[in-house]
Amino acid sequence: MRHVLALLIVLLPLSPTLAQSLPPDLDATMERTLKTFDVPGVALAVVKDGKVVLAKGYGVRKLGGTAPVTADTVFAIASNSKAFTAAAIAMLVDEGKLQWDDRVVDHLPSFQMYDPYVSREMTIRDLFVHRSGLGLGAGDLLYFPQSTFTEDEIVAKLRHIAPATSFRGRYAYDNILYLVAGKVIEKVSGRHWRDFVRERIFLPLGMKDSSTLSKALRVSANVATPHAKADGVLKAISPMGFDNNAPAAAINSSVNDLAKWMLTQLGRGVIPATDGKKRLFSEAQSKEMWAAQTVIAIPEPSKALAGLRANFAAYALGWSLRDYRGYKLVGHSGALPGYYSRVMLVPELNLGIAVLTNQEERSGFEAPLWTVVDAYLGAPATDWVAAFKADDDAKRAKAEGQVAGLQGGRNTQSRPSLPLDAYAGKFRDAWYGDVTLTREGEKLVMRFSRTPGLVGDLEHWQYDTFVARWRDRSLNADAFVSFTLEPDGALGEMRMKAVSPLTDFSFDFHDLRFTPVKEPAGAAVARPVH
């Protein structure tokens, strides 16, 4: 009996009936978060048992300014847009216009992947769950950074992106297939994705400040300016558009609006303040969207974050799943240059949390999130600000050590095999298209033909490898550029690879395979320098 009583004492603090309030020191935690992680502003919303418990802003909209972040301040929510795309499909399923396991080609006959078998067998469900065989972030350079490719061009280029694994073989996060899902919505409903989301989701829920175009951020009266570090110095940057893959990451919203979204999700599709009379989607579709689809391998967390180790992780339909202290969590994060977002639902507690930040620093949303979750679980207090700071420092130190190791192993006495002019010209990748290298003074300059922001000065690294130093230093994505030579000394393939392991995975330089665009017959061939 003593053992039973001891067990009850251990379990009681985690009982949901004993933990029904926000942490008493939440405001102090938010202020520490802003200062520790160099984040100008954060907005936080908490919903519980069908009500908004908190919707509040902290800090400022723009570094050096005085305009405060409020609950109505608009941020880009990036990949938290994916759950809206899933909900749009769920609504169409409710209407009998399609099914999750319909083949994509039955709705979009021109759809093609690299492998004809995959093209034929890909289902609408497959578009959402990151198991297509594409590599991590494959194809992201078609729209990130902002490009001039159209939606139809991007979808057409899928047939040229080689798979990294077998179809449905393993989890690898992608964005590009959500664009295909958006095209399915357009074909079935007769409305473009952004019109469907605005008319069928934002308006019924009263999400008055939410939008689906990047230009809306520029004209909003109450918008958080994005910030990023350029060579270690935090600065305001311009919002980066994602309009040519909007279903993956283009929504802008406030925590007041996201509170309504979370209440609808926790209400299993019931629209708030309608006494259960109106639904966005059915309870059956709610269960479908929260059901595990693709298993995700669980990495071992750092010592500082050992308390967050999950026992299971999976991807559902536009949502990520994991456990924490015996509870199922349904959530997602989102990142675009200068913005980070996080939505987390704890269905068993009827609890939802949304955090929006205007700095691309994940700890700016993670520390507040877990502080609030722990408070409602009645868990022992953890200083998550300190824990995430320690984790950040360890990751940064490791990455800097790896880059320093590369620097230490570099042969600084080596020279390029060819004269500098010989590397100039046009190079073509099957799925991206063209990149040009031009001689400008004593250096080469790389320009991605359809991505205005990717302009970089090439610095010689060693042998036939250079480093592209992007002129927009807030990208934090410098990349190695390496050349091979043909037996006759002509340029062969040009490959790229990010320098730092901390580079955002959407800079999928490593997937590019450039070959020179052949000059007209009779053009001279450069020879190696001896």
Side-chain angles (χ1 to χ4, degrees), residues 8-72:
L8 288 173
I9 292 170
V10 170
L11 292 179
L12 279 174
L14 297 184
S15 170
T17 62
L18 298 182
Q20 299 291 341
S21 63
L22 293 165
D25 58 348
L26 180 59
D27 285 350
T29 297
M30 298 304 297
E31 293 303 324
R32 283 183 62 214
T33 296
L34 296 177
K35 183 177 180 180
T36 302
F37 303 113
D38 205 10
V39 179
V42 176
L44 172 66
V46 180
V47 300
K48 181 79 171 72
D49 297 330
K51 297 179 181 179
V52 179
V53 175
L54 175 76
K56 186 174 181 179
Y58 301 85
V60 294
R61 300 178 210 165
K62 185 176 182 179
L63 189 66
T66 58
V69 172
T70 70
D72 290 317

Side-chain angles (χ1 to χ4, degrees), residues 88-110:
I89 291 288
M91 294 161 71
L92 294 171
V93 173
D94 278 335
E95 294 168 10
K97 294 182 177 179
L98 50 68
Q99 297 297 320
W100 286 106
D101 294 314
D102 285 355
R103 297 189 311 167
V104 175
V105 291
D106 291 336
H107 296 282
L108 302 175
S110 64

